[in-house]
Amino acid sequence: MEHKVYFEMGDSITDKVFEATWNSLEAAVKIVPIQSEKANIEIKAYQHLNDVPRVVRCFDHLKDENHHYIFLQRAKCNLRELINACKKKGVFDHQNENCRDFLKKASKDYRLWHTPDRHEKIRVKGAPDQQSASPDLLTLIRDIIDGVTDLQKKKIRHENLTPDNILIFEEINEPPYKNRLRAKISNLGSSSPSSDNLVLDTSTAGWRTPEEIKQKLTDEKSDLFGLGLVICFCLTASHAFGNDENVRHNIMDTSVTSRLSPVDKDFITGLLKALPDDRSVASSLLLHPTFWDDTTKAWFIWEINDLLHRLDWAEFNQFNLKKQLIFNGYQKWDCFIDHEVLMCYTKDFKNDYNEYSLQSLVKMFRNICAHLNEYEALGLCVSTRGKIFVGKSKASVYRSLIEYRFPRLLIEAYNHVKLHRQTDEPFEWLFPK
C-alpha cells in the first residue's frame, strides 16, 4: 500500500493536513498528535460513516509513536474559502497553490447567488436588495442537510458544524451536463453518539449553540443550530449572529438577516431557535419552500386560492390578519401590479377585483394562470421593452407577479397551512410524520 506525502495544505492548533496520495488516489493526510483523544474519536466515526455519501471518506489510518495519520478524500477547498472567494472576486490568498487556483476558477465558473434585476421586480419602498441562492448553491446546501440527516440516522452528533468543516468537491460531468460543486461533512473529532446527553465545550468559538454556551446538556438537535448558522453563511456570506454574546441571547444581526428573503429567513430562524425542541426537524428541511422551484410555488398559491374558499370565518380572519404585511405595509395591493395587466384583468374579471382583499390578489394570480393564452395574444407576456409582465407559464406568472412584488405571500400562506391544514389534501406530502 503506497502512501506518498507531498506538501502542507493547512493546519489547526494541534493538527496539520498535507496533500498526499493513497493507492494512486488524491488524498489528504491529517496528522494528529498521538496523545490527542480526538484522533480515536474521529477514526471510529469515519469507520462508522464510511458508506455515507455526504461525509468525507476515510481511506486509511496509520500511527507511530508520535502521531496518528488519517488519510481522507482530498477536497478542493472548504466552504468558507469558496464563499469568500465568490463574494470577493479577485482575492485569492490561500497558502496552497492548488486550492488558490481552484478558487480563482470557481469564482468565474460558478454563480452562488441571484439578485433580481430591475425588469424582474417592482421595488418595494425601503426594502433592501435581497439575494437568493443559485442552483449551484442550493446543491451545496442540500448536500450539507443530507449529511446532517445521515449523521442523525447513524446516531452520531457532529458537535462542531462550521464552514471550515464543510469540504467542497468538484463533480466532473460529460457534456452537455455541467460540472457541479458538491459538499461533504468533515472533521469528526468532536463527534459523539446521539444517545449521550453531554455538557460539551468542543465547538469553535462563535459557532456554539446556546445550550453549549450555558453548559447545558446537548443532544442531536444541537447540530441543527450549527446547520442554521452554516446555511445562513452560505446565503449571506456573513455570520447570522456575529459573536458568542449574540449567540447566547439568540440575537440575530439584522444587517445580515435583512438580506434574506422572507422565505429564507423563515427557514433559517426555524433552525436557530434558542430552545432545542423548538428547532426544525432535519428530515423535513428539504420540503421547505426555500427548496421549491417556481412550478411548485405556483402550484401552492393556486391551491391557496381554493383553500381560502373552504375556510370558516374565524380561520379566514386569522389568515387575513397578515394582509397588510403581505401588501408590503400598504392597505391595497394593486399599486404593485402593472397598469397594463390590471386593465386587462379588470376587463375580464371585474367582479373578482377588490384591491383591498387578500383573497382577490390570490384569485388574480389563479385567473391569469388559467387564461395565459389570452394574455399572450394581447402581448402582455413580453413587452417591447423586454419587461416580463405576466410570462408564458404558471411558474413565470408566479415569478413576475408574486415573487418580488409580494415576497411574504408564499411563506405566510405556508405557515398558515403548516399550523392549521397540514393533514389536508393536497398539502399532506409537505409535512411527513
Side-chain angles (χ1 to χ4, degrees):
M1 185 177 297
E2 176 192 5
H3 303 97
K4 184 178 180 182
V5 175
Y6 285 108
F7 52 86
E8 190 170 345
M9 290 178 65
D11 64 297
S12 64
I13 296 174
T14 58
D15 310 336
K16 291 185 179 293
V17 182
F18 292 81
E19 288 190 347
T21 58
W22 179 87
N23 286 355
S24 301
L25 296 176
E26 289 187 347
V29 59
K30 185 174 183 177
I31 303 177
V32 187
I34 196 70
Q35 66 271 21
S36 171
E37 294 181 7
K38 288 187 174 183
N40 289 322
I41 294 173
E42 187 161 20
I43 291 167
K44 288 179 181 179
Y46 277 127
Q47 289 173 338
H48 187 56
L49 297 167
N50 234 17
D51 60 340
V52 175
R54 302 270 59 92
V55 173
V56 169
R57 186 183 171 197
C58 178
F59 294 132
D60 199 0
H61 67 277
L62 306 171
K63 66 179 180 179
D64 58 24
E65 60 184 12
N66 295 314
H67 295 97
H68 293 276
Y69 303 87
I70 307 171
F71 287 82
L72 305 167
Q73 282 179 294
R74 188 197 304 175
K76 296 294 186 180
C77 63
N78 66 41
L79 181 63
R80 185 193 300 277
E81 292 162 344
L82 176 70
I83 296 294
N84 287 342
C86 290
K87 199 69 177 179
K88 306 170 185 176
K89 297 195 176 204
V91 181
F92 311 104
D93 56 358
H94 200 281
Q95 61 180 330
N96 180 274
E97 183 179 358
N98 290 337
C99 185
R100 189 166 61 247
D101 290 344
F102 172 77
L103 292 172
K104 185 175 181 180
K105 174 179 176 292
S107 69
K108 296 178 180 178
D109 293 351
Y110 297 99
R111 183 183 182 187
L112 298 188
W113 304 280
H114 169 72
T115 302
D117 62 33
R118 61 187 178 89
H119 292 307
E120 290 181 300
K121 67 173 184 175
I122 286 182
R123 177 89 170 146
V124 178
K125 187 177 180 181
D129 280 324
Q130 292 172 342
Q131 62 187 24
S132 55
S134 70
D136 289 328
L137 184 56
L138 283 176
T139 296
L140 294 177
I141 294 173
R142 286 189 183 96
D143 285 347
I144 298 166
I145 292 172
D146 284 341
V148 172
T149 303
D150 286 339
L151 285 178
Q152 290 193 352
K153 290 177 181 177
K154 292 282 191 175
K155 307 298 182 185
I156 288 180
R157 297 197 305 262
H158 188 281
E159 301 288 7
N160 193 21
L161 285 173
T162 73
D164 292 324
N165 293 333
I166 307 295
L167 299 188
I168 303 301
F169 297 79
E170 188 172 35
E171 180 180 279
I172 306 299
N173 295 308
E174 294 290 333
Y177 302 104
K178 293 175 56 179
N179 296 341
R180 295 197 299 172
L181 297 176
R182 306 304 300 264
K184 295 190 177 189
I185 294 174
S186 71
N187 198 357
L188 297 169
S190 300
S191 63
S192 61
S194 298
S195 57
D196 294 347
N197 291 322
L198 304 172
V199 177
L200 298 172
D201 186 20
T202 57
S203 300
T204 301
W207 300 87
R208 296 188 174 109
T209 65
E211 56 267 31
E212 187 176 351
I213 289 175
K214 295 176 182 179
Q215 292 291 292
K216 293 185 177 181
L217 293 176
T218 63
D219 59 20
E220 63 181 13
K221 293 176 183 176
S222 297
D223 276 349
L224 296 177
F225 191 92
L227 178 64
L229 291 177
V230 168
I231 295 176
C232 186
F233 180 77
C234 289
L235 294 171
T236 66
S238 301
H239 195 293
F241 295 93
N243 57 58
D244 269 359
E245 187 63 22
N246 283 354
V247 172
R248 185 190 302 273
H249 299 290
N250 204 37
I251 300 172
M252 284 194 176
D253 184 340
T254 55
S255 66
V256 173
T257 55
S258 66
R259 302 200 298 270
L260 294 169
S261 71
V263 171
D264 290 343
K265 186 175 181 178
D266 180 85
F267 178 75
I268 294 299
T269 54
L271 291 166
L272 297 182
K273 299 292 187 182
L275 299 177
D277 288 343
D278 292 341
R279 292 170 196 159
S280 303
V281 179
S283 58
S284 64
L285 290 176
L286 293 178
L287 294 174
H288 188 274
T290 286
F291 301 98
W292 295 359
D293 59 20
D294 289 334
T295 300
T296 304
K297 294 173 183 177
W299 162 82
F300 187 78
I301 298 300
W302 179 291
E303 295 295 341
I304 289 297
N305 175 70
D306 294 341
L307 174 65
L308 289 175
H309 288 88
R310 304 196 303 268
L311 299 184
D312 60 37
W313 185 249
E315 189 177 343
F316 180 84
N317 279 342
Q318 187 174 14
F319 185 75
N320 214 39
L321 288 174
K322 302 289 186 180
K323 180 176 70 173
Q324 191 168 349
L325 190 63
I326 292 170
F327 294 171
N328 306 307
Y330 289 74
Q331 295 293 329
K332 304 193 300 181
W333 55 263
D334 60 349
C335 57
F336 295 98
I337 304 297
D338 297 291
H339 175 73
E340 296 90 334
V341 175
L342 283 177
M343 291 295 291
C344 181
Y345 181 73
T346 53
K347 178 174 68 70
D348 292 335
F349 301 100
K350 189 172 183 179
N351 293 333
D352 289 333
Y353 176 69
N354 179 350
E355 65 269 36
Y356 295 95
S357 167
L358 177 57
Q359 188 173 12
S360 181
L361 169 63
V362 176
K363 185 178 286 188
M364 182 197 70
F365 169 79
R366 190 249 184 228
N367 287 340
I368 289 177
C369 286
H371 296 82
L372 276 177
N373 291 339
E374 298 170 26
Y375 284 85
E376 186 170 6
L378 291 171
L380 287 177
C381 286
V382 181
S383 78
T384 55
R385 290 172 289 161
K387 180 178 180 180
I388 299 174
F389 284 121
V390 173
K392 297 184 179 182
S393 65
K394 290 180 182 179
S396 58
V397 173
Y398 173 83
R399 192 164 51 250
S400 58
L401 290 186
I402 304 295
E403 178 94 346
Y404 304 118
R405 300 163 197 252
F406 306 100
R408 295 206 64 91
L409 175 58
L410 177 65
I411 196 60
E412 295 298 340
Y414 171 82
N415 282 332
H416 182 89
V417 170
K418 182 179 179 180
L419 187 62
H420 299 285
R421 297 281 173 166
Q422 61 176 266
T423 59
D424 289 12
E425 291 186 4
F427 305 117
E428 71 277 6
W429 68 273
L430 297 171
F431 309 101
K433 298 299 182 184

